[in-house]
């Protein structure tokens, strides 16, 4: 049976458990998982999946990143992505310095188009290119918004902060993603845009979803609904409302609240009937297809893997769906196939995800968890799986 090295997540769980002066049995008693599973994870005989890690972090009252480490450092350096993070961090710190006299004026419409282009690049999973262009765009928009304040410029600046959040999350820089969300809130207030404010609460909720703090995540979604509920009920507002319900559905699924999952999905479905395909609204990919994808994701989070595969077979992915959503679907399907013993199919789905969105797949926790699980399940690792494991740095 393959083993992980001494720096695997299970080893870090063991270290943090001992620092908390808990035995394995005592920690297991605090988890919705068995003592046997905890024992196997700590010794590296089984991989730690995302909800298991979140549950341990919550029980030990520490951040998830203490257990996962800064993910993908070696791979980020190999891909020359790590060097792009520092300029983003610096650009995020310019928000309150006013206009930079060294930056020449560009027409507002060009800057707004640049912000939209960055959103499109992230949805197309061109992370390296988006990360390279982002700092200069933030700097230019910050200066333009201070020189000639307008709703449109503040909205565009908020959009670039959201892009910074998206890139930071996809690359595992969760501290940076929180800074970006704070800046997004700052710009959204100046734009007086309730939809942007609600989207920011949605993204904050997903941060707590990853941390296993589901009650806080649910409160943030409710705060988002309060913001959007006070706004005029345009198609834009209905799409954002629907997306909030989709976020709430996966949080409820991780918290094992089936009735809440069903309620939120029903509300999102009703919103999608009103908006139709609303992928053009704030790059949320909202619409009937996204509701179906979240129904499948909720089943995965509740470990209802047969149901998730049933949902996967029913979903027809439209040609225009964002590449990032298409890859996420393939990763969810791969996890469900692995958990139901369909290991060859799972490997095929992960390979498809890699072909669809290589950068996103390489740094996606679910993809890495599935590849690790497949390695553990294989008595003899096939060459293709071995290549995939080496590719993610296992």
């Amino acid at each position: 049976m393959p083993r992980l090295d001494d720096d695997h997540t299970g080893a870090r769980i063991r270290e943090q458990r001992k620092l908390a002066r808990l035995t394995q049995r005592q920690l297991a008693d605090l988890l919705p998982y068995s003592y046997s599973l905890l024992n196997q994870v700590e010794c590296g005989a089984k991989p730690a999946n995302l909800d298991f890690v979140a549950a341990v972090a919550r029980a030990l009252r520490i951040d998830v990143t203490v257990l996962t480490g800064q993910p993908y450092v070696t791979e980020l350096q190999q891909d020359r992505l790590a060097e792009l993070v520092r300029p983003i961090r610096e650009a995020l710190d310019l928000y309150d310095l006013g206009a930079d006299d060294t930056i020449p004026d560009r027409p507002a419409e060009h800057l707004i188009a640049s912000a939209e282009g960055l959103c499109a690049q992230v949805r197309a999973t061109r992370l390296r290119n988006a990360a390279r262009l982002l700092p200069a765009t933030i700097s230019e928009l910050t200066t333009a918004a201070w020189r000639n304040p307008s709703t449109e410029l503040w909205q565009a600046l908020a959009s670039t902060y959201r892009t910074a959040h998206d890139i930071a999350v996809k690359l595992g820089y969760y501290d940076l993603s929180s800074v970006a969300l704070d800046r997004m809130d700052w710009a959204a207030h100046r734009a007086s845009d309730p939809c942007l404010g609600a989207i920011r609460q949605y993204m904050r909720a997903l941060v707590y979803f990853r941390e296993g703090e589901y009650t806080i995540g649910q409160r943030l979604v409710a705060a988002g609904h309060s913001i959007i509920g006070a706004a005029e009920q345009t198609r834009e507002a209905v799409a954002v409302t629907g997306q909030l319900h989709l976020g709430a559905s996966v949080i409820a699924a991780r918290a094992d609240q089936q009735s809440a999952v069903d309620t939120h999905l029903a509300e999102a479905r009703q919103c999608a009937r009103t908006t139709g395909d609303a992928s053009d609204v704030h790059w949320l990919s909202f619409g009937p297809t996204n509701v179906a994808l979240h129904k499948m994701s909720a089943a995965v989070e509740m470990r209802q893997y047969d149901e998730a595969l049933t949902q996967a077979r029913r979903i027809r992915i439209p040609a225009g769906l964002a590449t990032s959503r298409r890859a996420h679907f393939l990763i969810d399907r791969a996890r469900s196939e692995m958990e139901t013993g369909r290991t060859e199919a799972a490997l095929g789905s992960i390979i498809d995800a890699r072909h669809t969105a290589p950068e996103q797949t390489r740094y996606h926790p679910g993809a890495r968890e599935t590849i690790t699980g497949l390695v553990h399940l294989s008595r003899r690792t096939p060459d293709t799986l071995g290549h995939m494991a080496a590719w993610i740095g296992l």
Side-chain angles (χ1 to χ4, degrees):
M1 177 73 69
R3 277 179 69 93
L4 301 175
D5 59 32
D6 290 336
D7 193 36
H8 61 86
T9 299
R12 288 189 284 271
I13 289 173
R14 181 175 63 243
E15 178 185 20
Q16 292 299 316
R17 171 179 60 75
K18 289 180 177 179
L19 287 173
R21 299 185 178 181
L22 294 175
T23 65
Q24 277 190 341
R25 183 71 67 184
Q26 287 170 327
L27 177 55
D29 288 343
L30 300 174
L31 303 175
Y33 296 93
S34 68
Y35 164 79
S36 173
L37 178 59
L38 173 61
N39 180 275
Q40 292 177 80
V41 167
E42 284 197 2
C43 71
K46 278 194 174 180
N49 63 31
L50 302 178
D51 44 349
F52 181 87
V53 173
V56 171
R58 189 167 63 253
L60 295 177
R61 299 182 181 276
I62 56 177
D63 289 342
V64 165
T65 50
V66 174
L67 300 178
T68 59
Q70 171 60 55
Y72 337 131
V73 170
T74 301
E75 292 77 24
L76 285 167
Q77 290 171 343
Q78 289 172 348
D79 291 346
R80 305 197 69 177
L81 281 165
E83 66 193 43
L84 300 177
V85 172
R86 183 179 179 85
I88 295 173
R89 194 182 297 277
E90 291 171 350
L92 290 174
D93 212 27
L94 302 175
Y95 73 107
D96 61 348
L97 298 183
D100 182 345
D101 293 337
T102 67
I103 294 179
D105 281 322
R106 276 181 66 197
E109 58 269 23
H110 290 180
L111 293 173
I112 292 166
S114 294
E116 285 289 293
L118 288 173
C119 282
Q121 298 236 23
V122 170
R123 296 309 167 276
T125 69
R126 300 187 188 111
L127 301 182
R128 179 186 287 101
N129 202 43
R132 181 177 58 80
L133 297 173
L134 180 61
T137 305
I138 291 176
S139 299
E140 285 189 280
L141 273 166
T142 302
T143 287
W146 279 114
R147 280 177 182 160
N148 302 294
S150 70
T151 296
E152 293 74 19
L153 283 172
W154 288 119
Q155 286 173 328
L157 182 56
S159 175
T160 61
Y161 289 145
R162 176 208 174 158
T163 297
H165 160 79
D166 289 343
I167 290 172
V169 165
K170 289 179 186 300
L171 299 183
Y173 287 87
Y174 299 118
D175 62 328
L176 185 61
S177 75
S178 295
V179 174
L181 286 183
D182 285 344
R183 301 295 183 264
M184 182 180 176
D185 184 51
W186 177 83
H189 277 301
R190 281 155 181 76
S192 300
D193 189 330
C195 285
L196 282 174
I199 291 169
R200 185 251 183 175
Q201 298 293 55
Y202 162 75
M203 292 178 167
R204 285 179 71 199
L206 294 185
V207 170
Y208 283 96
F209 166 74
R210 286 188 293 273
E211 291 287 336
E213 296 291 349
Y214 310 126
T215 301
I216 298 175
Q218 289 165 333
R219 288 179 63 190
L220 287 165
V221 168
H225 281 301
S226 296
I227 294 170
I228 206 71
E232 181 185 353
Q233 289 305 289
T234 60
R235 179 171 178 268
E236 175 190 17
V238 173
V240 173
T241 298
Q243 193 67 31
L244 283 164
H245 280 298
L246 291 181
S249 71
V250 292
I251 293 172
R254 183 72 72 82
D256 204 25
Q257 299 169 351
Q258 181 72 66
S259 62
V261 171
D262 295 340
T263 298
H264 286 298
L265 286 173
E267 293 286 349
R269 197 172 295 113
Q270 185 57 46
C271 290
R273 290 193 190 103
T274 301
T275 64
D277 178 14
S279 357
D280 56 322
V281 176
H282 289 291
W283 301 92
L284 292 171
S285 298
F286 184 73
T289 301
N290 210 10
V291 174
L293 290 170
H294 276 75
K295 184 175 182 180
M296 175 192 171
S297 291
V300 172
E301 294 300 341
M302 298 186 78
R303 300 184 288 282
Q304 299 169 355
Y305 300 114
D306 284 319
E307 173 62 20
L309 288 177
T310 297
Q311 295 300 324
R313 286 189 284 270
R314 292 174 180 167
I315 294 172
R316 295 294 175 265
I317 302 294
L321 186 71
T323 302
S324 55
R325 288 301 304 151
R326 189 185 304 271
H328 193 102
F329 163 73
L330 291 168
I331 291 166
D332 271 351
R333 190 175 74 186
R335 178 178 171 187
S336 300
E337 289 165 338
M338 179 192 71
E339 295 286 357
T340 53
R342 299 169 172 87
T343 53
E344 289 186 14
L347 179 57
S349 292
I350 282 291
I351 291 171
D352 287 346
R354 177 182 179 176
H355 289 159
T356 300
E359 289 178 342
Q360 175 173 321
T361 303
R362 191 176 194 194
Y363 303 115
H364 194 291
R368 299 171 74 86
E369 174 192 328
T370 298
I371 293 170
T372 302
L374 288 172
V375 170
H376 277 275
L377 289 170
S378 299
R379 292 181 178 275
R380 184 174 178 276
T381 305
D383 288 345
T384 306
L385 178 56
H387 292 321
M388 290 294 288
W391 180 63
I392 66 164
L394 182 61

